[in-house]
Amino acid sequence: MRTELTDTTSSKVNRALLDARRAVGSPTMGLVLNLLVATDEENAYDAVRAASEASREHPCRIIAVIRRTARGSHRLRPNRLDAELRVGSDAGSGEIVLLRLHGTLNEHAGSVVLPLLVPDAPVVAWWPADAPDAPGRDPVGALAQRRITDAEAAADPVGALDVRSGAYEPGDTDLAWTRLTPWRSLLAAALDQKPLPVTGAAVESEPGNASAELLARWLEDRLGVPVARVATAGPVITRVRLTTTGGEIRVDRPDGVLATLLLPGSPDRKVALKIRSSAELIAEELRRLDADEIYASALRFRRPAQASLSA
């Protein structure tokens, strides 16, 4: 069931949402959290689709806060709020509320969203692009226990990490870090199998990749060794090398799908290490609502200046 409201208010949206739930027999009791998606019109379709797919694992109320600029006839009412409600089969495993904020109403997005939150349910905020420098102090981010950004969507992904580092608050995370979960698990398992002292490392990736930079910082932070950054043609991270006293541990992923794990004295092993979709990444992030201290430590890690290599 879909309902459209133009030039409306939060209270009218809430009332229409209640009427829609009653019409399709969809109670809110099954919703486990609120997912706020702060985006623009250009990215709204893909972001809402990814959030809807993630809601199959985590039934939630998805509230998309879509920034619009007033133009044409809208200039007569520059602070309009338009809404579209999706309940039942049109909303997957939850509910979807699309809020289009025009003009200066964008500055008060938090006040618009607050009455629409499912009571007593955690709130997660996600910025698919154009995330604020300080998510915890953003009007939408201030409502959330968990705040998800994506440095890869920035013009300068590695620079965005440094900005996030200076403004970090418990509950912040980034999809550049989420993309590393299989890499970190595989490298940790490799060192469990071959518990050898690590003397150095290298991360090879396409230039300016935020996940590669975070992976290098994590290795430096946890292993206490220098990690070289090596630029390749990609896609994304293509290889990680750990130099140990017993030989080299290496993970090769040249095509973004299948990796080869090489351990000293062991046969090569193929490992699935595909590039995951936004829906899969968001679903992973929704599994935890506590502060990610390992991410915070890696994000804030400062390495001595060193020249980048190329290959």
Side-chain angles (χ1 to χ4, degrees):
M1 179 176 181
R2 298 194 181 202
T3 304
E4 294 189 5
L5 303 172
T6 58
D7 197 4
T8 188
T9 65
S10 296
S11 60
K12 291 179 180 178
V13 173
N14 218 352
R15 194 176 311 120
L17 190 58
L18 179 60
D19 291 341
R21 285 202 313 270
R22 287 173 174 168
V24 300
S26 174
T28 60
M29 294 177 64
L31 304 181
V32 299
L33 56 83
N34 299 276
L35 176 57
L36 310 182
V37 183
T39 185
D40 55 17
E41 198 67 60
E42 179 182 358
N43 296 287
Y45 176 82
D46 289 337
V48 171
R49 182 176 179 178
S52 180
E53 290 180 16
S55 74
R56 296 173 184 171
E57 182 177 337
H58 310 274
C60 59
R61 176 174 292 175
I62 300 167
I63 303 177
V65 183
I66 305 171
R67 301 184 300 275
R68 295 293 299 269
T69 56
R71 56 177 179 267
S73 61
H74 293 175
R75 293 186 185 279
L76 299 175
R77 293 295 305 275
N79 298 325
R80 280 180 45 196
L81 170 64
D82 298 332
E84 179 184 338
L85 315 180
R86 302 176 188 175
V87 179
S89 60
D90 289 320
S93 299
E95 300 172 347
I96 299 176
V97 181
L98 307 182
L99 302 176
R100 289 181 168 85
L101 280 61
H102 298 263
T104 58
L105 192 61
N106 286 287
E107 301 173 8
H108 308 284
S111 299
V112 175
V113 169
L114 185 60
L116 303 176
L117 298 177
V118 176
D120 303 319
V123 180
V124 178
W126 172 36
W127 292 266
D130 301 321
D133 291 343
R137 296 192 287 274
D138 180 83
V140 172
L143 301 174
Q145 290 88 6
R146 188 80 165 166
R147 295 167 293 275
I148 306 170
T149 55
D150 190 356
E152 278 302 321
D156 178 9
V158 176
L161 293 179
D162 294 330
V163 172
R164 305 272 193 276
S165 174
Y168 174 84
E169 294 184 17
D172 290 356
T173 192
D174 197 282
L175 293 187
W177 176 252
T178 318
R179 293 182 181 99
L180 294 177
T181 300
W183 282 95
R184 293 187 294 119
S185 299
L186 182 57
L187 291 170
L191 287 175
D192 283 341
Q193 294 179 54
K194 298 289 182 179
L196 301 167
V198 179
T199 58
V203 175
E204 302 182 15
S205 73
E206 61 189 16
N209 184 268
S211 293
E213 176 62 24
L214 275 175
L215 181 57
R217 293 185 188 186
W218 174 69
L219 290 171
E220 288 174 325
D221 184 28
R222 308 310 291 182
L223 298 176
V225 299
V227 178
R229 280 73 163 168
V230 181
T232 67
V236 293
I237 301 173
T238 54
R239 177 181 294 165
V240 175
R241 293 181 280 119
L242 303 180
T243 304
T244 75
T245 55
E248 186 177 74
I249 296 173
R250 191 167 83 238
V251 179
D252 288 331
R253 189 185 67 174
D255 58 3
V257 178
L258 193 64
T260 302
L261 173 64
L262 298 95
L263 299 174
S266 300
D268 299 353
R269 189 174 72 192
K270 299 295 183 181
V271 182
L273 203 62
K274 68 168 186 160
I275 298 174
R276 295 182 293 165
S277 67
S278 295
E280 292 172 303
L281 299 174
I282 291 299
E284 178 183 326
E285 281 300 330
L286 295 182
R287 292 176 198 140
R288 62 175 301 170
L289 297 175
D290 58 323
D292 191 337
E293 297 178 355
I294 304 299
Y295 163 70
S297 181
L299 180 68
R300 292 169 167 169
F301 186 84
R302 286 291 181 268
R303 64 190 175 100
Q306 64 183 57
S308 294
L309 305 177
S310 61

